[in-house]
Amino acid sequence: MAVEILKEKYRSKVGEVVLGATKEQGGTRSHTITVGGESTLPFLHFEGEVPHRPVVAMEILDMAPEDWHPCFKQYFGDVYDDPAAWAKKCVEQYGADLIQIRLRSADPDFKDSSPEDCAAVVKKVLEAVGVPLIVIGCGKPEKDSTIFPVVAEAAAGENLLLGVAELENYKAITSACMAHQHNIIAQSPIDINICKQLNILIAEMSTAMVNRIVIDPTIAALGYGIEYSYSIMERASNGALQGDKMLAMPMIGNIGAEAWRAKEANISAEDEPGWGEQEERGIMWESTTAMAYLQSGMNILVMRHPRSVELIKGQIDDLMKDNSY
Amino acid sequence: MGLTGLEIFKHLPKTNCKECGSPTCLAFAMALASGKASLDACPYVSEEAKAALDSASAPPIKLVKVGAGDHAVELGDETELFRHDKRFFHPTSIAVLISDTEDAAASAELFDALEFDRVGLHYVTDMVAVQCASGDAAKFKAAVEAVAGKTQKAMILIAEDPAVMEAALPAVKDRNPLVYAANAGNYEKMVELAKANNCPLAVKGKDLNETAELVEKIVALGYKELVLDSGARETSKVLADLTQMRRLAVRKKYRPFGYPTIAFTSKENAQEEILQAGVYVSKYASIVVLKAREKQQLLPLLAWRQNLFTDPQKPIAVEPKLYDVGEPDENSPVYVTTNFSLTYFIVEGEVEGSRIPSRILSVDTGGVSVLTAYADNKFSAETIAAAMKKAGLDEKVKHRQIVIPGHVAVLKGALEEASGWEVLVGPREASGIPKFAKERFA
């Protein structure tokens, strides 16, 4: 007696977002990356399409990161002060699918760099690598709202992914994206209703933006509330497949930054002998966090450690293998 | 459970004799469906109908126990596909594989120490699998006994040759090990062994179809303490098979898949193995067998298991009390937050990150977060002042300053009045604590 395979019949699918633009499309990227489009839950190829594999972005900063664990020096120490070289190394040596640059230096508490300085850094990174680019502000809304218009204009045609837009301050960044045709990261605080509401508000500013939104559900690291984000994402994915258009956007998460904040990733084996060696523990803390989010439907994983990137790309290869019956 | 009144009605005599106390068979069926009546009340129900209704009212996935005493592990009895629909109940068992070609006693000793303490929780690598790689019954028996001598944790015996299994099993049968595995070629003999020693039995097919067929044959032989292996070893295929087994059991009540499941990693590299195991923990495996043994590799996997299997409806709380971060003295800063564990541990992590020895006062808010507790009046000037008093803060520090979360800045005035302390408004997000501390206390 053959087992009758149970396949869900979903009404809808996750929308697709295209990142980057080639010369023919008005940009300078060597290729574009499309995310989303899945018509089933993660990697269930037996019942639906997963047309685009999840991608891994590596995160860089526009200034040397004082707060990163010293174990990162051996990989990036030589390029910490040169974002263009840093980006190039991530792509050429460590296989980053795309680059996320955080404009931390613009923070008034750091260097208070001007919007023009920020735009110049973005341009340099664009020149150094051919992959699509994600640009994140410094996190201070007043400052970011002055940066986005300038960066968006300087990189017009490149079809960036810009972030982050939040419920309290989405207008400046949305306008910048609309004016220069970039994509936007809509961030909500582990709350599916706010997630949806923010998407609606951005869509109200311009319906053309609907296909340009990437959801950042705000993710927590392994051990620090990962199960909350995991479940919010599962609910959003189910909502998207059941036809809720305002939840049907691809999702992004800052895995590296969150995982490497955890004590478990950083503390030395001398200080916590029961937990084993530090660097491998950090790598596994980051990649296990990423593994979980692949299982809850994340499309763009922003990561930090070269080995974590390698491991998770290997797992994506495995998960993308057909499993039809 | 799970059956509608109409489905039950089909199995009743439909005579409307009223002897059960209900006016009609249909009414009786409805009462049964809602759990208000027992089938015993019907004197005329056939044995067949009884069996059918009994099996239909059984849980979708059987609970199976492996191991004995304090180290017994409960597997299965899951009812959901998504944890947000209710919760997952029985955490995936993580089994470390030991081969009979290695120094099994030494490995078992190392395995037994694979336990971890973090955030007030104790994580345990809860199973050990002993595999016959030598093909030699005597060697396998020796390895099984050596492992049993070094750890009390639940065991899996892996040998598909019944003669080899027969050599090792009786000596450790009181430990209630999982016998792995019955396959299409050996199942009659394996069932006999499992029955004779009263141990749970793994069933291994070469695909879902063969696994289902084998289960039916074994159930027909009268054995139901089963754990299923669909035979798949590639990540993507295992994910599909585990998903199908869970779905068919829970949604269709497909009996052949109504048992716990076991999955094996196939990666040679330990880091890749952990991530592969992570997929199977996430998606429905009851046991994952792997080779990785290093603490730094297993801790993240065990943390994920613990996180995934928490009850989403129940906030996890820490004990409401005064906590030390580092080695604070009478001049160290004091922070106050709720006893929602997530909030508490994030604050603790950041305070630790500030590298300034401090104290954190965790106020009993019934395990809810700062804003929720504030809205509910559980995190108020009164509750905080009371907690300060109860913790004896007055005696522990010389200064009279306390830091409250930025989100409840509004409490400053009232708390100063209620406690007589100076109230400092901290950052809104915990991530701002190191900078705040540097400016204030460094």
Side-chain angles (χ1 to χ4, degrees), chain A residues 8 231 264 307 321 325, chain B residues 83 118 236 241 251 271:
Chain A
E8 298 288 350
S231 287
E264 289 75 2
R307 176 61 179 155
K321 286 187 187 146
Y325 290 95
Chain B
R83 63 186 288 285
R118 75 169 281 275
S236 166
D241 282 0
R251 301 264 293 279
Q271 298 174 346

Side-chain angles (χ1 to χ4, degrees), chain B residues 99-101 104-105 130-149 155 157-159 161 163-173:
Chain B
S99 162
D100 67 350
T101 53
V130 190
Q131 182 174 33
C132 177
S134 64
D136 179 340
K139 241 187 186 156
F140 183 57
K141 180 172 190 285
V144 166
E145 286 174 4
V147 170
M155 295 172 77
L157 308 191
I158 302 182
D161 176 347
V164 172
M165 186 62 76
E166 193 166 14
L169 181 59
V172 292
K173 68 172 188 179

Side-chain angles (χ1 to χ4, degrees), chain A residues 257-279:
Chain A
E258 284 304 317
W260 284 95
R261 272 183 351 134
K263 178 180 171 183
E264 289 75 2
N266 292 292
I267 199 162
S268 69
E270 289 73 48
D271 288 339
E272 198 65 73
W275 290 359
E277 194 258 330
Q278 176 269 327
E279 185 171 358

Side-chain angles (χ1 to χ4, degrees), chain B residues 25-199:
Chain B
C25 286
L26 184 60
F28 180 57
M30 293 298 175
L32 281 175
S34 60
K36 285 178 191 138
S38 160
L39 193 58
D40 306 336
C42 175
Y44 304 109
V45 67
S46 69
E47 282 306 313
E48 272 163 47
K50 224 181 215 169
L53 287 171
D54 274 352
S55 86
S57 65
I61 297 175
K62 186 176 162 59
L63 181 79
V64 173
K65 282 184 195 168
V66 177
D70 291 346
H71 295 87
V73 176
E74 295 192 330
L75 308 167
D77 198 17
E78 299 291 342
T79 57
E80 307 302 322
L81 290 163
F82 302 104
R83 63 186 288 285
H84 61 254
D85 283 337
K86 190 170 188 183
R87 68 167 297 182
F88 295 156
F89 294 92
H90 295 101
T92 310
S93 247
I94 306 296
V96 173
L97 189 70
I98 293 176
S99 162
D100 67 350
T101 53
E102 64 184 288
D103 182 346
S107 298
E109 205 166 340
L110 289 176
F111 155 79
D112 201 52
L114 288 172
E115 302 196 2
F116 306 86
D117 289 298
R118 75 169 281 275
V119 301
L121 297 165
H122 189 65
Y123 297 166
V124 179
T125 310
D126 41 12
M127 275 196 184
V128 57
V130 190
Q131 182 174 33
C132 177
S134 64
D136 179 340
K139 241 187 186 156
F140 183 57
K141 180 172 190 285
V144 166
E145 286 174 4
V147 170
K150 291 290 179 188
T151 179
Q152 291 301 309
K153 288 177 188 165
M155 295 172 77
I156 305 174
L157 308 191
I158 302 182
E160 295 188 35
D161 176 347
V164 172
M165 186 62 76
E166 193 166 14
L169 181 59
V172 292
K173 68 172 188 179
D174 293 343
R175 297 280 298 272
N176 194 34
L178 175 63
V179 176
Y180 183 99
N183 59 36
N186 71 9
Y187 75 92
E188 283 160 316
K189 188 77 189 128
M190 281 293 192
V191 169
E192 224 172 86
L193 274 175
K195 264 187 179 172
N197 293 284
N198 199 20
C199 293

Side-chain angles (χ1 to χ4, degrees), chain B residues 381-398:
Chain B
E382 291 72 33
T383 58
I384 297 171
M388 289 166 71
K389 205 162 185 186
K390 196 174 158 205
L393 262 188
D394 278 348
E395 289 126 50
K396 295 208 166 107
V397 292
K398 274 205 296 203

